Amino acid sequence: MGDSLRTSILSLLLGLAGVAASGVVPTSAVAQDSADFRAYLDSIRPKARAMGIRDATLDSVFATLTPNPRVIQLDQNQPGGGAYSPIPNFEPYRVKHVDAARINRGRIAYRTNRARLARIEAETGVPEEIMIAIYGHETNYGSYTGDFDLIRSLATLSWEGRRRTLFEPELLATLKMLDNGVPRSRLVGSWAGATGYPQFLPSVYLRLARDGDGDGKADIWTSEADALASIANYFVHSGWRAGQPWGVAVNVPNGFNRAAITARTQPTRCPRVFNRHSRWLTMAEWRRMGLSPAAGSWPDDTVMATLLEPDGPGKTAYLLTGNYRAILDYNCSNFYALSVGLLADAVKQ
């Protein structure tokens, strides 16, 4: 079906346009839409079979699926910032996301899980407090993980086609999870496919989810042990370096020559994130340039870091290590990564 026809049908589904004078969507449009959706599901069967997914699994789930107009609406309404649109200050975000309630709940989760956290850190090198901070940021320590049917949502978004290259692999991964024995009742989450306590995409679950409590399952939906072990495994694969902090808050001296620290390479991904960072220098070099820690002590002199001033000159700045880049791998947003680091520090205090 052509893009213009698909757009027209989706508009009918969403109630945004094309409604007949009586207010009733024409039966022919609904029927054509349903046929096109079924044709799309049939078209991905060869890809599913190539992944070892059984026809019986596909038959059982495809028969129940219909498009979900709500997820299309949510996807199309996503805010987008252009390459040159203004970036707000970090402080209002920090106040909202590293608040007393989230810190206190994090400390409770930290104390409750200390034994397993210590074991996971010993095995992986990922700090206990980083695991807890991710858990807290993603689902507020498991209090809300989303209630969208993942298969229906991802099938709808894949069929709609605007971002098929993103959503179709996640649909296939979700079908693989179902075929592997994950109950359909577990396959719920955000409208865009994130699921469980760590809000893993299905493809990430298949690669990196781990059994943390020894029951032979990687249950990231009800087992905190499995969720925390899976988060740690994610960071291991993102290159976390044991023994290094994520970063340190610093004071930048007046008259600091920022032109001298401009990055010399163009980022290949997340340009709005990485273009805000300076070039890499050692902690010793930063210290010689007059930067001083806002509190506490410096990391080792040889540790490499970039400078980020998220609220502009004269405000708190951060020297960020390679481990900060591992947090960005989880969610490529400076505000997110800074908040994870700051929450982790507060939880551990």
Side-chain angles (χ1 to χ4, degrees):
M1 184 172 67
D3 289 343
S4 60
L5 181 55
R6 178 176 286 111
T7 300
S8 175
I9 292 172
L10 291 176
S11 297
L12 289 168
L13 279 171
L14 294 168
L16 300 176
V19 178
S22 62
V24 178
V25 177
T27 302
S28 59
V30 174
Q32 188 170 4
D33 172 76
S34 178
D36 185 69
F37 182 68
R38 307 236 71 80
Y40 170 71
L41 294 179
D42 286 340
S43 75
I44 67 169
R45 281 179 178 269
K47 297 177 183 179
R49 293 185 187 117
M51 294 173 61
I53 301 170
R54 294 167 295 171
D55 277 330
T57 299
L58 301 176
D59 292 341
S60 66
V61 70
F62 283 179
T64 69
L65 293 182
T66 57
N68 184 345
R70 177 60 178 155
V71 300
I72 297 173
Q73 187 176 48
L74 288 168
D75 184 46
Q76 292 177 345
N77 289 343
Q78 283 295 287
Y84 303 103
S85 61
I87 297 174
N89 285 338
F90 169 60
E91 182 61 15
Y93 184 97
R94 185 197 66 78
V95 169
K96 181 178 179 181
H97 291 84
V98 193
D99 59 315
R102 199 179 300 259
I103 292 170
N104 290 335
R105 291 194 68 183
R107 288 173 177 168
I108 293 170
Y110 184 64
R111 291 193 297 268
T112 301
N113 290 281
R114 277 310 300 280
R116 60 174 59 109
L117 286 167
R119 174 178 55 79
I120 296 169
E121 179 173 352
E123 293 172 353
T124 65
V126 178
E128 304 170 36
E129 62 272 18
I130 288 291
M131 297 179 240
I132 290 294
I134 292 290
Y135 185 23
H137 268 284
E138 290 297 329
T139 57
N140 201 9
Y141 311 103
S143 63
Y144 184 72
T145 57
D147 56 6
F148 282 87
D149 178 337
L150 292 190
I151 295 179
R152 187 187 183 205
S153 295
L154 291 168
T156 300
L157 293 166
S158 301
W159 160 73
E160 185 266 345
R162 189 171 72 95
R163 294 200 288 169
R164 181 171 293 174
T165 56
L166 170 65
F167 290 118
E168 185 173 274
E170 299 305 331
L171 169 61
L172 291 166
T174 312
L175 294 169
K176 184 65 175 177
M177 291 169 66
L178 183 68
D179 197 61
N180 286 349
V182 177
R184 178 77 183 273
S185 60
R186 289 276 192 270
L187 297 177
V188 295
S190 75
W191 63 265
T195 188
Y197 290 159
Q199 290 292 276
F200 277 1
L201 288 173
S203 61
V204 174
Y205 174 89
L206 290 176
R207 288 190 299 112
L208 300 177
R210 289 294 178 268
D211 173 17
D213 54 19
D215 67 355
K217 302 176 182 178
D219 179 4
I220 63 170
W221 301 272
T222 64
S223 169
E224 287 188 321
D226 291 2
L228 294 169
S230 298
I231 290 169
N233 192 47
Y234 188 103
F235 280 108
V236 169
H237 284 261
S238 295
W240 188 274
R241 297 179 181 180
Q244 284 191 13
W246 61 271
V248 57
V250 294
N251 300 311
V252 179
N254 292 331
F256 183 71
N257 183 8
R258 291 171 177 82
I261 60 166
T262 301
R264 296 169 179 169
T265 59
Q266 287 297 315
T268 57
R269 69 184 186 96
C270 302
R272 277 171 60 87
V273 171
F274 291 110
N275 277 335
R276 302 190 72 193
H277 293 233
S278 74
R279 62 189 178 95
W280 291 93
L281 295 171
T282 66
M283 287 291 176
E285 289 173 315
W286 288 117
R287 188 172 64 250
R288 286 197 294 270
M289 297 176 80
L291 276 69
S292 60
S297 59
W298 288 93
D300 292 342
D301 281 354
T302 58
V303 172
M304 302 291 293
T306 60
L307 178 68
L308 175 65
E309 297 178 279
D311 292 305
K315 305 294 185 180
T316 300
Y318 299 88
L319 289 177
L320 305 167
T321 73
N323 285 343
Y324 180 85
R325 300 297 174 103
I327 302 174
L328 287 176
D329 194 56
Y330 207 101
N331 183 333
C332 201
S333 159
N334 282 313
F335 286 9
Y336 176 90
L338 286 171
S339 293
V340 165
L342 293 171
L343 179 62
D345 290 351
V347 163
K348 191 177 181 180
Q349 289 177 359

